Structure formats: C-alpha cells, structure tokens
C-alpha cells in the first residue's frame, strides 16, 4: 500500500508540471485500455506545451502496448517520430 500511495503522489506532482514540457512528445495509447488511462493520455496531450506532439492510438492494444501484438508497429512509429525531429 505504501508504494501505491507514493505512485499516486508522483502522478499528482507530475500532472501539475505537464505545462513545463516543451520537448517533442510522442504519446501512445491502446484502444483496449481502461477509460481512465485514455482520459489521462488526452489530458497529457492537451497540457504539454510543445508544438511538436503526436498522439497515436493502437486499436488492438491494451495497457502494455510494448508487449502486445502491435509492439513492432509501436517501434516503427517511435522511430519515425524520432526521425522526423531536427536534431
């Protein structure tokens, strides 16, 4: 229970600082995930203050996208996003 309370506190503190994120941001979300997580992703997308941001939905994925059947597509999409940036 202690770890859960610490996690909740970290989430609360982080959510208050989203508007300080100015780096390019790529958010991924599984369509089969719980609605609470879907809502969180939308909030993060709206609050980050970068002009370079993208939200990608994966129709056949749940919460742990990187271990699901769309994991290869996730890797390709992350690489494409990173390649699109001016380094």
């Amino acid at each position: 229970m202690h770890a859960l309370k610490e996690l909740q506190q970290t989430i609360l503190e982080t959510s208050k600082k989203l508007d300080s994120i100015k780096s390019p941001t790529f958010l991924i979300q599984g369509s089969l995930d719980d609605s609470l997580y879907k809502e969180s992703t939308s909030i993060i997308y709206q609050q980050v203050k970068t002009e370079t941001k993208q939200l990608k939905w994966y129709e056949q994925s749940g919460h742990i996208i990187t271990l699901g059947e769309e994991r290869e597509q996730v890797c390709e999409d992350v690489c494409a996003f990173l390649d699109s940036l001016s380094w």
Side-chain angles (χ1 to χ4, degrees), residues 2 4-5 17 21 24 36 43 47 64 66 70 73 80 84:
H2 180 70
L4 182 57
K5 287 184 180 187
K17 299 176 182 179
I21 296 174
L36 177 64
I43 290 169
Q47 291 188 6
I64 306 178
T66 55
E70 292 177 290
Q73 186 62 53
S84 74

Side-chain angles (χ1 to χ4, degrees), residues 2-53:
H2 180 70
L4 182 57
K5 287 184 180 187
E6 286 184 11
L7 176 60
Q8 289 173 325
Q9 184 63 32
T10 300
I11 291 170
L12 180 63
E13 290 172 13
T14 302
S15 67
K16 292 177 183 177
K17 299 176 182 179
L18 290 173
D19 62 348
S20 68
I21 296 174
K22 296 176 178 43
S23 299
T25 304
F26 184 65
L27 298 160
I28 60 175
Q29 178 65 56
S31 293
L32 303 177
D33 204 353
D34 184 84
S35 61
L36 177 64
Y37 294 110
K38 293 177 185 178
E39 184 178 324
S40 295
T41 304
S42 296
I43 290 169
I44 293 167
Y45 184 82
Q46 292 170 8
Q47 291 188 6
V48 294
K49 295 299 181 202
T50 179
E51 295 201 14
T52 306
K53 59 184 173 181

Side-chain angles (χ1 to χ4, degrees), residues 23-26 50 52-53 78-87:
S23 299
T25 304
F26 184 65
T50 179
T52 306
K53 59 184 173 181
V78 169
C79 286
F81 179 77
L82 293 173
D83 286 344
S84 74
L85 301 176
S86 298
W87 293 92

Side-chain angles (χ1 to χ4, degrees), residues 50-65:
T50 179
E51 295 201 14
T52 306
K53 59 184 173 181
Q54 184 177 343
L55 171 56
K56 174 84 183 215
W57 289 86
Y58 296 87
E59 299 301 319
Q60 300 172 355
S61 294
H63 189 65
I64 306 178
I65 298 172

